[in-house]
Amino acid sequence: MTDWAGRTAVEIAAAVREKRVAPREVVAEHLAGIGRLDDRVGAFRAVRAEAALAEAEEVGARGDLGELPLAGVPVAVKDNLAVRGESTRVGSAATPHKPAGADHVTVARLRAAGAVVVGLTNVPELCVFGTTEGVLGTARNPWDPARTAGGSSGGSAAAVAAGMVPVALGNDGMGSLRIPAANCGLVTLKPGHGVVPAGIGEGDWFGMSENGPLATTVADARLLLTVLAGQAPPERDDAGALRVAVSLRSPLAGVTVSRPYAHAVREAAGVLMRAGHQVRRADPPYPASLGVTALTHWTAGTSVDARGLDRRLLTRRTRVHAALGRRFVGRVAGGEDRERLRGRLEPFFAEYDVLLTPALARRSPKAGPWHERGWLRNVVANSVYSPFTPPWNLTGWPAMSVPSGTLDSGAPCAVQLVGRPGSEAALLELAERIEALRPWRRTAPSR
């Protein structure tokens, strides 16, 4: 018997297209893995076992099976995107139980490509924080279950890292793809604005939130991105050496980078230098006001998402976050602060093609009831471990997290690649070079 759990999406889809395996067999094996592993990991809020098996049968009977890019591939979907027939809870007791009447456009694209949705994954309430826990579940890092998987796409990342699905769908408003990907040893790409349909919550956090893939290989991330975008990223006009700036400076003043993350950046820089790219130390001109800009947009986005919900059913940290953000909604809606930030950073990206930074400043917090803790404690914990992700949501430019090295615990470490608008293909190529020269272990060992 062939073991399909743990295979890549590329491998599974090819086998299904060639009729070496039936979609139902692939999906059944992954559902068995979820049943065996998820009590420990906490990736899923809801598992669609019966529906997924039926949908796998439908995929196997499709007349265009041989042309489907994701034929029979089990996928997990973050629980802030509509899946037909399922409720969308967004990690909260305040959200309705009403089943969605239609798929979100990104889910519809995955299904049209032959993927089978096996479940919806846990998120922090309203997808606010960089740790995933709440009244509906807690997602742990499969590599180090004492630590959070990260957030807000924490359940999706944990599901992929544990091998329960080969790929998953998540989204990123202040780092919500890159943070859990970095914690869990995955590849992700937050695409630039407009590359993939958004439609997340009530206004995409003023256009900062983007949907994207979580995968164990660059090839799988590229495949999923191609399906989500409706087309492959355009090839680079110039396939020669790229100008890569390497920076260890935190965008938030006073936050230091721990040794493993600094080492990961130096190792990745060495790989890119050996690959023929022009690599230099250079720090972006982050403004001193960046922390305030990030906080006002972060809280204002939550304030909009909380409209219409019974605030008595929200956790205290969410209520405080939303209440603070209400006073900033008018200020951030016009986009002037984001435009000023883009204007400040554009000259840097005229001089350099790509920025290489740590993905995180330090390892993730311990898993625990963060939703029961105070607002300030949550904000500080998030800010000191993930200062590198928010600037690129504010600018709307593409950014990746790529595994690189390990922490002292043996859990994965990671770097971030950032590019100017339209550079998704270049970032994927650099990530592929890192993967080829410093390959990583794709999934966590079963415990």
Side-chain angles (χ1 to χ4, degrees), residues 272 354-356 398-402 415-419 427 430-431 434:
L272 298 181
V354 173
L355 171 66
L356 170 65
M400 289 192 74
S401 180
V402 183
V415 297
Q416 178 177 237
L417 298 170
V418 183
L427 299 183
L430 290 182
I434 294 171

Side-chain angles (χ1 to χ4, degrees), residues 281 317 368 392 416:
R281 285 292 299 268
R317 65 175 183 177
W392 317 114
Q416 178 177 237

Side-chain angles (χ1 to χ4, degrees), residues 132-388:
T132 293
E133 65 296 297
V135 295
L136 300 182
T138 295
R140 297 173 178 271
N141 186 344
W143 293 90
D144 185 356
R147 300 274 163 182
T148 177
S152 63
S153 305
S156 285
V160 177
M164 290 187 274
V165 287
V167 287
L169 176 59
N171 37 57
D172 190 315
M174 278 282 173
S176 289
L177 282 166
R178 289 161 290 155
I179 294 167
N183 286 330
C184 296
L186 302 180
V187 181
T188 192
L189 192 153
K190 179 197 77 67
H193 186 65
V195 174
V196 171
I200 306 159
E202 300 295 328
D204 306 326
W205 277 16
F206 306 97
M208 296 190 300
S209 294
E210 305 292 345
N211 291 308
L214 287 155
T216 63
T217 67
V218 177
D220 274 7
R222 180 186 283 110
L223 172 61
L224 209 62
L225 180 67
T226 298
V227 170
L228 295 172
Q231 59 183 357
E235 295 297 323
R236 285 200 289 132
D237 294 332
D238 176 15
L242 292 172
R243 300 165 297 172
V244 180
V246 179
S247 177
L248 295 175
R249 178 193 167 197
S250 167
L252 298 183
V255 177
T256 58
V257 177
S258 66
R259 179 187 54 79
Y261 282 98
H263 182 70
V265 169
R266 295 188 186 101
E267 289 289 314
V271 167
L272 298 181
M273 190 177 299
R274 290 192 295 275
H277 298 290
Q278 301 172 21
V279 180
R280 296 181 181 175
R281 285 292 299 268
D283 295 326
Y286 301 119
S289 60
L290 182 57
V292 173
T293 301
L295 183 65
T296 56
H297 285 73
W298 184 19
T299 57
T302 301
S303 176
V304 172
D305 283 348
R307 289 174 182 169
L309 298 180
D310 185 343
R311 284 175 167 74
R312 294 170 299 178
L313 298 178
L314 296 174
T315 60
R316 184 160 58 97
R317 65 175 183 177
T318 306
R319 290 199 306 270
V320 173
H321 209 73
L324 180 63
R326 282 198 292 274
R327 69 191 68 184
F328 300 130
V329 170
R331 169 178 169 178
V332 306
E336 291 86 357
D337 289 344
R338 296 179 65 199
E339 189 57 42
R340 277 193 293 271
L341 179 62
R342 281 190 287 265
R344 184 179 178 97
L345 293 172
E346 279 168 352
F348 182 85
F349 281 87
E351 185 175 356
Y352 297 99
D353 300 303
V354 173
L355 171 66
L356 170 65
T357 76
L360 302 171
R362 61 196 66 189
R363 66 180 179 172
S364 62
K366 288 185 177 180
W370 284 94
H371 60 297
E372 298 175 359
R373 296 168 183 165
W375 173 80
L376 183 60
R377 187 176 176 187
N378 273 273
V379 168
V380 170
N382 279 239
S383 299
V384 299
Y385 104 95
S386 180
F388 288 96

